[in-house]
Amino acid sequence: MESRPLRPSLGLYKETRIDLDPINLNSVVHIQLPSNNAFARNTRPQRRILNALPFSKTEDDYRRQHIASASSLYFRRSHKYPRSYLWRCLEANTVLELRSGDLSKGEHEKREASLILRIAFPSAIRHGGVALADSVDQDVLNVFILTKSNEIYTLSLRPEFFCRPEASAGDLERWCKIFKPSSFSISTPHRLIAYSSLELLVSLSDGRLMRLSRRASEDGSTWQEAAYNDGQWGASLRGLIRWQGNMTIRHDGQVLDQNTVVSACPSPDKRHILAVCLNHTLKAWNSETGKITFSKDLLNKRREPQEVPKIMLDPSISTAMQVFEAHSSLRGDQYYIATFSPQQSGIFKFWGVRDADHAEKGVRDLYPENVLKVPDPDDGALWTMAEFRVTTARDSSDIDIWVLVRLNRRYKLYHKVTDMEDLPRTWARGWSIAVIGSAISAYSVEPPTRMSDVDLEDSTEKWLDFILCPGRVPEVILEAGLTIYNSTRDPGPEKITKGSLQERVAHSVGAHVQLDVTNADIGIYREHAHLEWMNFWSIVSDLDQSRWEPLSFALDEFAGMPWLTFADGCSAVRACGDLEKMAYNTEYDLRVHLRETHERTIESANFRFQKELDDLAVLVGAAAQFRASFSETLQSQCAKAVQQELWQDSLYSVPVQIQSFYDSCNFADEISDKQYHDVVVALRAAGGLESFDTAFVLELVEKFLPPMSTEVSGLLSTKFGLRLLVKGAREMITLHKRVLTDILLFVVFIDMEVDREEYDLERFEAARVYTEVLGLLRQYQMLEWLATTRRPDPHEKAESGLSDNLPPQHPSGRLTTVLENLFAVDTRPQSYTTISQSESVTGNIEDLLKWVTGGNDPTVTMERVLVNIQCNLLQNNNIDLASSFLLFQPSTAWATYIRARLHLLRNEFTEAAIFFQKAAYGLSRPNPTIDYPLASSHLLSPLAASSLSSGPANYHAHILSLFEPARAHHHIQAFARLALQFSPSPDQVSDLLARLFASSLALADYDAAHSALTRYSDRALQHHALRSLVDAMAANGAIDDLLALPFTTLTADVDAILAEHARRELLAPSDTDTPFYRILYAWRLRYSDFRGAAAVLVERLEGRDARRGRKGEASRGADVLAEYLLAINALVVAGEEGAWVLVGGEEDRGGLGGRKVLRLEDVRRGYQAELDRRSVLESGRWGIVGGEEEEEEAEGEVMEWD
């Protein structure tokens, strides 16, 4: 009885692809291995560390350097880190690349296995010539390589090789051994299989199976050989004579005998070697005797010799047999074998083995009457089975069956859980499919469309944002695509070879657009620009698609994690979340097929009306179908309306907003009666429009952010795991955002279009649903920004000593998304001990999205989360990103304060002051619920944080301190005045007055400086500040302002300061433009101290006369006569009793010769003597009594006065 599975359509798994470009700079260790063959090329071992993988100049170079011919993952039995290894063959099979593929590690594990080993061989690696095994007694990974020079390399790689570059710098011969079996000189090896780290199986082209063994103390330089054959007399001759005919097949330059083994493995009890051969047979050899114990056709049929050529298997097949044990055996079976035959479009057979030494009774066909067909995509194409895995399900008696089918680059992965006893009955039902890549076209990301004539946005920016979006295409693909694009275009303007990738792409595409356009028609220009960008994108997308040709399927049985490897990438196959199941499946699939796969529906307890998962899928499907029916014009209108509604603060009520949104979308003119009818029909599966109530929609909304897991797993994500986590999060964000947009449009349409007299919608509150959905959509818009915006990783520390040739322009840190370096690094992966890792990865992604939005803590609001992100951007000096993130900032006082900090960092002091003042009231009030250092991502120190929520005086004093490093004195002065208005403490008053005084002095605002000065309570500080004020006003020529200021009690202090400067000026004349003696004279006149004013001038005049006779000191050319007159007038005004001055002192002041009293008459005599002296000099009647010195002095005076 034939059992062909119905076309599986239930998507319960999701493929998340991971790029394999190096995570860090200097993380690629290239090692050239030697050869025992003296004539082989590159026989000398070499080792070097690559800064990065080289960029390809041609498509052939790209394929050789980056496209693998074989790849897979190996999972160690040991649970020590690293446990998973990804390997692939590159560069015409001459390079084996190895890296860790672990997603998590123990929290106490300090090492990070992020290095990539690229091991180059002197000879190409054979197809099927890579095998890995876990060492029995050491923490070592054994890698066995079979090359086309018939050499077997044994590499003993310690975990440190993947953690520290210097670990592989030791003696290469210690961990690399080469062995060439003697049997290879007779027969060519076909495939290498690792029995264990001490035993290898090699299938030979003559049909024999060779077993290589070594002791645990041996290093792999020698192996013991033993050969198994089919026991017939011709088997020994086939090893010596190369038979060719219809019983052989050519493959990869070899002639393979029909008995050549294509798949082999040991039995669970290690007593037998089980194998599938080219001649469509399943065989077993006894490990001890080497004799064949049974041989059966894969379909359990008797075959005539002439039939064998027609049913020969493909020699390149990688999986033809799986051996597994079941928790509950059927009638005493020890273990089971699942085999696959490509005959009749693919048939599976299940064999029960009781005793492999007895072919007739010990090995049986479990289901001889059933023909178990391969799942068929049923699209008319000839799909082939690529690989399959059968394992025992976790914690149950069921078995897991995974089947990978492919058609060129297309592939599909099917899964089934069943019981061995029910397998024939259930084989045709209960299959699920993994959602692969862009298989769901409704949720695929399309390139930008051609811009209209009224579109103001530049097409270059749209295309660059699309192409350079993080995670879309690796940089190496873009570099190769740019090179190929330039080489296929006509020579144009000089190409730029320096600058960022973004600049070079924009320049190259833009240059070719300019060449094609010769007129100024903007429409033609945009058409040509769109075509050029499409040409570039087609090259890039073709290169990118070539990376995703499937190579193998791997299953981590311990973790329960399926993997797919590709030519230049890999993908983790994770379980779908609830919302993904609803989005990727129809209501029928969930209602019928989900129960067949033993999946449980998840119910919510938050609403009165509970809905099954399939009922919620009706709403998701109806909304998606409704939006898919939109015309291109309506799609554009709705997208603009959604964006406007998301970020525009509305002053209107929600019903008015819904009406405005409806009008902006123009549903009334764009939606036809047929589309309306389709909506009504689509909802019938969930009870029709009558059941469309608020609880129904809000139950769906609750699925978007499920609660975080409270489990403490003790695990940390690796860098490789973070890459998967962020990529999966981005896919989930895109899907959720799309579904939310569908629901928003659907809700608005139903609220505005459905006739409430015809349908009872009393239980549907459109305003509440609209608000909830719009709020969630804002969150996902923010999440999308985090997942697509990159910055230098703040956690990354530059590793020194890795390479001596690191270019200086290379940044020390790698670029990662904000979602990864701010949130993902702090999330703990869920444990996969109770659930599979396939499920835990999905839980990790949902936990990450929930963690970004506040986690399970009800006190953490979305507003605080947004501000915390902004603070982190400012803390790490990401000014441009912080400016971009302003779009998401709320209007709270805390957010306004942080926005002001951003303007401050951008030197926009006026804007910063405005926002600081707006936030003053909210941040001055006590708020014990917020921890400012933590809420600000430690942008605020504990000292600065203590100034917030502690009164307006402290707040304004804190703002003042923020402006001080920037020397924004206007704003320092303004906030100092504000702080002083709110009754600060005495200590604060002194500090604020000092800051106000300093800023006012810097601004030459002497009135404000004087006002602050007079309020000083500390006499010493006041005197120091007074001196600063007087000096500054004198230096800036503000003498009138100085005389006008009301110093009151400080008048004597000012006088003393000026007098000190005047005396210093008298003792050490300088060329400064500040005549302090005149300022002092004016000061004393201002305060009616006429005798003191006269004393200033008289002392200066006496000092001049005393210095007159000194050698080499001539007159300074001052207006002496005017000074005499001013002094005389001052003494006259002082009155008869005050008409005297005291000049000189105990010490010689300027050569005055001691203290003396000069009266008005003395000053007048001096004035007269000065007049006489000038008269003599002017008339030329001078004597020569004084010798040459007086004559020179006199001449100097005459010349100066002339």
Side-chain angles (χ1 to χ4, degrees):
M1 182 178 66
E2 180 174 318
S3 297
R4 175 178 292 277
L6 301 175
R7 181 183 180 184
S9 58
L10 179 63
L12 298 182
Y13 293 87
K14 175 70 175 71
E15 174 200 41
T16 300
R17 293 176 175 179
I18 311 174
D19 296 324
L20 297 182
D21 51 307
I23 294 177
N24 298 324
L25 292 174
N26 298 327
S27 62
V28 180
V29 182
H30 184 88
I31 302 173
Q32 176 67 54
L33 296 184
S35 172
N36 284 338
N37 188 350
F39 299 99
R41 63 181 182 89
N42 298 331
T43 57
R44 296 182 56 187
Q46 297 177 357
R47 176 187 175 277
R48 67 183 187 273
I49 297 176
L50 306 180
N51 297 330
L53 297 179
F55 290 134
S56 308
K57 297 181 179 180
T58 64
E59 185 173 357
D60 291 338
D61 287 344
Y62 167 76
R63 295 185 181 279
R64 179 177 56 84
Q65 295 171 354
H66 301 281
I67 299 300
S69 59
S71 178
S72 188
L73 281 107
Y74 173 75
F75 309 100
R76 296 173 61 192
R77 293 186 179 91
S78 173
H79 298 165
K80 295 180 180 179
Y81 174 78
R83 195 185 72 86
S84 306
Y85 290 93
L86 171 66
W87 64 266
R88 56 192 190 132
C89 296
L90 301 165
E91 301 192 17
N93 285 343
T94 60
V95 172
L96 176 69
E97 183 182 277
L98 287 157
R99 72 179 75 199
S100 170
D102 289 281
L103 302 180
S104 59
K105 61 180 181 178
E107 60 183 348
H108 301 297
E109 180 64 62
K110 303 300 181 184
R111 303 173 301 173
E112 178 71 39
S114 59
L115 295 182
I116 300 173
L117 298 185
R118 289 174 67 93
I119 303 175
F121 294 85
S123 179
I125 302 171
R126 287 190 180 276
H127 176 76
V130 179
L132 285 73
D134 202 7
S135 178
V136 176
D137 54 353
Q138 300 180 31
D139 188 14
V140 171
L141 174 70
N142 289 124
V143 182
F144 305 102
I145 307 297
L146 175 61
T147 66
K148 290 191 175 182
S149 61
N150 292 339
E151 294 174 319
I152 295 180
Y153 286 77
T154 301
L155 310 181
S156 301
L157 306 179
R158 302 192 311 273
E160 289 77 10
F161 282 29
F162 301 90
C163 301
R164 297 184 295 107
E166 61 273 14
S168 58
D171 187 5
L172 185 142
E173 294 184 356
R174 297 181 59 186
W175 55 270
C176 175
K177 301 297 179 180
I178 308 174
F179 175 68
K180 188 170 184 178
S182 58
S183 300
F184 290 178
S185 60
I186 301 175
S187 182
T188 307
H190 172 61
R191 180 160 296 177
L192 176 67
I193 301 133
Y195 194 106
S196 68
S197 63
L198 302 179
E199 293 182 278
L200 302 178
L201 298 176
V202 181
S203 65
L204 302 178
S205 59
D206 59 7
R208 292 181 300 159
L209 183 65
M210 186 175 67
R211 179 178 179 180
L212 300 176
S213 60
R214 61 169 176 157
R215 290 187 293 270
S217 58
E218 295 177 335
D219 55 11
S221 56
T222 59
W223 294 79
Q224 287 72 46
E225 304 178 37
Y228 301 142
N229 54 44
D230 57 7
Q232 301 178 11
W233 66 269
S236 58
L237 290 178
R238 285 197 299 267
L240 300 175
I241 304 174
R242 299 298 176 91
W243 298 89
Q244 297 189 23
N246 59 359
M247 294 301 180
T248 61
I249 186 171
R250 282 191 169 272
H251 173 72
D252 195 22
Q254 297 177 320
V255 178
L256 303 179
D257 185 83
Q258 64 169 346
N259 291 292
T260 301
V261 174
V262 295
S263 181
C265 68
S267 62
D269 56 9
K270 309 300 182 186
R271 295 174 54 192
H272 298 85
I273 297 176
L274 308 172
V276 171
C277 302
L278 279 177
N279 59 0
H280 202 262
T281 57
L282 170 65
K283 295 181 180 181
W285 284 273
N286 188 288
S287 300
E288 295 181 358
T289 63
K291 295 181 179 180
I292 190 167
T293 59
F294 72 82
S295 177
K296 292 182 177 291
D297 180 78
L298 293 181
L299 295 181
N300 200 18
K301 293 183 178 180
R302 292 186 178 275
R303 303 283 184 182
E304 298 298 329
Q306 61 270 20
E307 295 182 60
V308 173
K310 301 178 182 178
I311 59 173
M312 293 271 274
L313 300 179
D314 184 354
S316 63
I317 189 172
S318 58
T319 306
M321 173 186 64
Q322 284 285 292
V323 179
F324 62 96
E325 296 179 284
H327 292 297
S328 59
S329 61
L330 299 176
R331 291 178 288 179
D333 296 324
Q334 293 184 357
Y335 56 89
Y336 300 94
I337 305 173
T339 59
F340 172 77
S341 169
Q343 299 299 310
Q344 302 176 32
S345 300
I347 298 175
F348 285 99
K349 272 290 182 184
F350 289 85
W351 309 82
V353 180
R354 299 177 183 175
D355 186 355
D357 289 326
H358 296 80
E360 295 301 325
K361 296 183 179 180
V363 181
R364 62 192 181 95
D365 182 356
L366 294 179
Y367 316 111
E369 304 299 327
N370 299 94
V371 180
L372 307 178
K373 289 284 190 176
V374 176
D376 185 8
D378 194 25
D379 57 0
L382 297 177
W383 292 76
T384 59
M385 197 284 299
E387 289 193 57
F388 73 96
R389 292 289 186 275
V390 181
T391 61
T392 305
R394 296 166 61 101
D395 302 327
S396 73
S397 60
D398 296 335
I399 58 171
D400 271 335
I401 304 176
W402 294 90
V403 179
L404 175 66
V405 298
R406 60 173 296 182
L407 175 65
N408 298 323
R409 291 180 182 174
R410 298 170 59 191
Y411 59 97
K412 293 181 182 296
L413 181 63
Y414 298 107
H415 176 241
K416 179 179 180 60
V417 179
T418 186
D419 185 83
M420 288 291 294
E421 295 183 358
D422 292 336
L423 189 144
R425 183 178 57 84
T426 62
W427 182 263
R429 303 187 308 274
W431 288 88
S432 62
I433 189 172
V435 179
I436 301 295
S438 58
I440 305 300
S441 59
Y443 297 100
S444 61
V445 181
E446 299 294 335
T449 57
R450 190 182 73 83
M451 302 182 67
S452 63
D453 296 339
V454 297
D455 201 333
L456 301 179
E457 188 178 0
D458 186 9
S459 63
T460 300
E461 294 182 4
K462 293 179 65 175
W463 273 100
L464 288 176
D465 290 342
F466 170 76
I467 293 175
L468 299 178
C469 181
R472 175 156 294 151
V473 181
E475 185 176 350
V476 65
I477 295 285
L478 295 175
E479 291 285 359
L482 181 60
T483 302
I484 297 171
Y485 173 80
N486 287 328
S487 65
T488 57
R489 318 302 290 175
D490 294 331
E494 182 180 356
K495 301 179 179 63
I496 58 173
T497 57
K498 296 182 179 180
S500 66
L501 176 62
Q502 177 177 346
E503 294 171 344
R504 288 184 282 119
V505 169
H507 178 271
S508 296
V509 177
H512 291 104
V513 174
Q514 296 294 340
L515 286 174
D516 291 339
V517 179
T518 57
N519 55 56
D521 191 330
I522 187 64
I524 296 179
Y525 172 80
R526 287 185 167 178
E527 181 67 28
H528 280 268
H530 181 72
L531 290 177
E532 283 300 324
W533 279 110
M534 285 297 296
N535 289 334
F536 176 71
W537 173 245
S538 65
I539 294 174
V540 171
S541 60
D542 286 343
L543 289 176
D544 185 61
Q545 289 177 12
S546 68
R547 302 167 56 224
W548 302 110
E549 180 177 353
L551 296 181
S552 71
F553 172 79
L555 180 63
D556 187 350
E557 296 184 26
F558 172 76
M561 186 70 180
W563 290 85
L564 290 169
T565 61
F566 303 90
D568 188 23
C570 67
S571 65
V573 181
R574 60 178 180 82
C576 287
D578 290 344
L579 199 61
E580 290 175 313
K581 292 175 184 177
M582 289 183 273
Y584 293 145
N585 298 284
T586 65
E587 172 268 338
Y588 176 81
D589 288 331
L590 292 176
R591 189 179 72 251
V592 177
H593 298 313
L594 189 61
R595 293 180 176 87
E596 295 176 352
T597 59
H598 305 287
E599 294 285 339
R600 294 182 295 111
T601 56
I602 300 177
E603 297 182 350
S604 171
N606 295 333
F607 299 99
R608 179 180 177 183
F609 299 97
Q610 302 300 316
K611 300 292 182 181
E612 296 288 342
L613 205 61
D614 48 1
D615 290 335
L616 295 176
V618 173
L619 175 57
V620 174
Q625 179 183 347
F626 174 65
R627 187 180 178 189
S629 67
F630 288 1
S631 63
E632 184 176 343
T633 302
L634 182 56
Q635 291 275 12
S636 177
Q637 292 173 346
C638 290
K640 292 179 180 179
V642 170
Q643 289 300 317
Q644 182 178 3
E645 192 68 16
L646 282 175
W647 307 117
Q648 180 177 350
D649 292 334
S650 178
L651 302 178
Y652 302 102
S653 62
V654 177
V656 175
Q657 293 180 47
I658 295 176
Q659 178 67 56
S660 176
F661 184 85
Y662 174 82
D663 295 338
S664 300
C665 295
N666 196 21
F667 280 152
D669 297 331
E670 294 287 343
I671 300 298
S672 64
D673 293 340
K674 181 181 182 305
Q675 290 172 297
Y676 176 85
H677 177 71
D678 291 341
V679 169
V680 175
V681 173
L683 287 176
R684 286 177 182 172
L689 281 171
E690 293 82 357
S691 64
F692 192 78
D693 55 19
T694 303
F696 182 32
V697 183
L698 292 184
E699 186 176 359
L700 174 64
V701 170
E702 193 181 55
K703 298 290 184 183
F704 283 88
L705 290 176
M708 284 185 64
S709 171
T710 58
E711 174 196 12
V712 180
S713 63
L715 299 176
L716 294 175
S717 292
T718 62
K719 291 180 179 179
F720 189 77
L722 287 176
R723 182 173 283 188
L724 170 65
L725 183 62
V726 174
K727 185 67 176 292
R730 185 176 167 224
E731 292 177 348
M732 191 173 289
I733 290 168
T734 302
L735 173 65
H736 287 193
K737 183 183 172 186
R738 174 63 183 263
V739 174
L740 280 171
T741 304
D742 293 344
I743 297 299
L744 183 70
L745 298 173
F746 195 67
V747 165
V748 170
F749 174 77
I750 288 180
D751 182 57
M752 300 301 299
E753 288 280 351
V754 173
D755 187 356
R756 294 180 179 268
E757 294 182 357
E758 182 179 358
Y759 298 99
D760 182 13
L761 294 178
E762 293 183 358
R763 295 178 300 173
F764 177 59
E765 303 175 43
R768 181 183 174 188
V769 173
Y770 182 85
T771 303
E772 291 285 343
V773 173
L774 200 61
L776 260 182
L777 200 52
R778 289 192 181 102
Q779 292 186 28
Y780 275 92
Q781 188 87 353
M782 180 270 296
L783 290 170
E784 185 179 54
W785 187 93
L786 296 177
T788 56
T789 303
R790 295 188 295 179
R791 64 173 178 175
D793 192 341
H795 302 281
E796 192 76 20
K797 296 182 179 178
E799 300 180 9
S800 58
L802 297 185
S803 176
D804 297 330
N805 56 348
L806 180 63
Q809 68 269 22
H810 274 214
S812 59
R814 60 191 178 107
L815 293 178
T816 56
T817 62
V818 181
L819 181 65
E820 176 179 342
N821 56 55
L822 182 55
F823 293 100
V825 293
D826 294 326
T827 58
R828 292 296 186 97
Q830 295 182 15
S831 172
Y832 47 87
T833 55
T834 57
I835 59 174
S836 66
Q837 193 175 38
S838 178
E839 297 172 283
S840 70
V841 166
T842 302
N844 295 339
I845 296 172
E846 293 174 343
D847 285 351
L848 173 60
L849 301 185
K850 185 65 177 180
W851 174 251
V852 175
T853 55
N856 292 336
D857 189 352
T859 63
V860 179
T861 62
M862 192 61 197
E863 288 78 7
R864 290 189 183 180
V865 170
L866 294 172
V867 179
N868 183 269
I869 296 172
Q870 184 78 322
C871 290
N872 185 273
L873 296 175
L874 298 181
Q875 174 74 6
N876 291 284
N877 202 33
N878 307 128
I879 307 303
D880 292 339
L881 298 185
S883 301
S884 173
F885 198 69
L886 276 178
L887 174 68
F888 305 100
Q889 291 303 294
S891 57
T892 62
W894 176 227
T896 305
Y897 166 83
I898 297 301
R899 178 169 185 171
R901 293 289 296 263
L902 171 60
H903 287 294
L904 191 61
L905 289 174
R906 290 163 54 175
N907 294 326
E908 298 169 353
F909 303 126
T910 302
E911 291 82 357
I914 292 173
F915 285 106
F916 277 135
Q917 292 182 23
K918 286 184 178 180
Y921 177 75
L923 292 187
S924 298
R925 303 173 60 190
N927 187 1
T929 63
I930 183 170
D931 182 353
Y932 286 108
L934 186 61
S936 67
S937 192
H938 300 286
L939 177 67
L940 270 68
S941 65
L943 181 62
S946 64
S947 300
L948 303 183
S949 298
S950 59
N954 290 332
Y955 172 79
H956 290 97
H958 164 66
I959 302 303
L960 179 155
S961 66
L962 297 178
F963 281 105
E964 285 181 327
R967 300 179 182 273
H969 297 292
H970 283 286
H971 303 293
I972 296 173
Q973 184 187 63
F975 282 97
R977 286 173 173 167
L978 288 172
L980 288 168
Q981 291 178 5
F982 293 100
S983 304
S985 64
D987 292 338
Q988 280 185 308
V989 170
S990 299
D991 181 61
L992 291 171
L993 288 175
R995 295 179 174 187
L996 176 59
F997 173 80
S999 60
S1000 300
L1001 202 61
L1003 294 171
D1005 187 354
Y1006 302 119
D1007 289 333
H1010 169 266
S1011 175
L1013 176 67
T1014 57
R1015 299 171 62 182
Y1016 274 39
S1017 58
D1018 190 312
R1019 180 63 181 170
L1021 292 177
Q1022 188 180 48
H1023 181 77
H1024 182 270
L1026 181 62
R1027 179 180 292 275
S1028 300
L1029 176 62
V1030 171
D1031 292 348
M1033 297 183 75
N1036 294 329
I1039 308 304
D1040 293 339
D1041 295 332
L1042 176 63
L1043 298 177
L1045 290 176
F1047 283 97
T1048 59
T1049 59
L1050 300 175
T1051 304
D1053 294 333
V1054 177
D1055 189 282
I1057 294 169
L1058 292 174
E1060 181 182 347
H1061 281 298
R1063 284 194 298 272
R1064 188 180 297 115
E1065 186 179 52
L1066 180 62
L1067 294 172
S1070 63
D1071 297 330
T1072 60
D1073 297 330
T1074 308
F1076 277 99
Y1077 75 96
R1078 291 186 179 179
I1079 300 174
L1080 181 58
Y1081 173 80
W1083 173 265
R1084 290 180 175 176
L1085 287 182
R1086 163 75 173 79
Y1087 289 95
S1088 302
D1089 184 7
F1090 302 109
R1091 187 163 60 84
V1096 175
L1097 299 177
V1098 171
E1099 186 170 9
R1100 177 176 176 80
L1101 292 170
E1102 289 295 317
R1104 186 190 66 81
D1105 292 338
R1107 295 193 306 271
R1108 182 187 283 273
R1110 296 182 181 181
K1111 183 178 179 178
E1113 187 174 338
S1115 174
R1116 299 175 64 190
D1119 195 350
V1120 179
L1121 294 177
E1123 291 177 0
Y1124 269 112
L1125 291 175
L1126 291 174
I1128 292 170
N1129 289 337
L1131 289 175
V1132 171
V1133 175
E1136 186 175 350
E1137 294 181 356
W1140 59 272
V1141 294
L1142 180 64
V1143 298
E1146 296 178 358
E1147 299 178 357
D1148 185 9
R1149 297 178 182 273
L1152 299 181
R1155 306 182 74 178
K1156 58 182 178 180
V1157 177
L1158 296 180
R1159 297 187 177 275
L1160 177 60
E1161 293 78 9
D1162 298 328
V1163 179
R1164 283 175 175 170
R1165 281 195 296 271
Y1167 174 66
Q1168 187 60 45
E1170 183 66 24
L1171 286 175
D1172 294 342
R1173 185 163 45 254
R1174 290 178 177 271
S1175 176
V1176 170
L1177 294 174
E1178 291 175 359
S1179 62
R1181 295 179 286 109
W1182 64 83
I1184 51 176
V1185 224
E1188 293 181 0
E1189 293 180 1
E1190 291 190 10
E1191 182 177 353
E1192 290 176 0
E1193 185 177 348
E1195 288 179 358
E1197 292 185 4
V1198 171
M1199 292 173 64
E1200 194 166 349
W1201 281 99
D1202 289 341

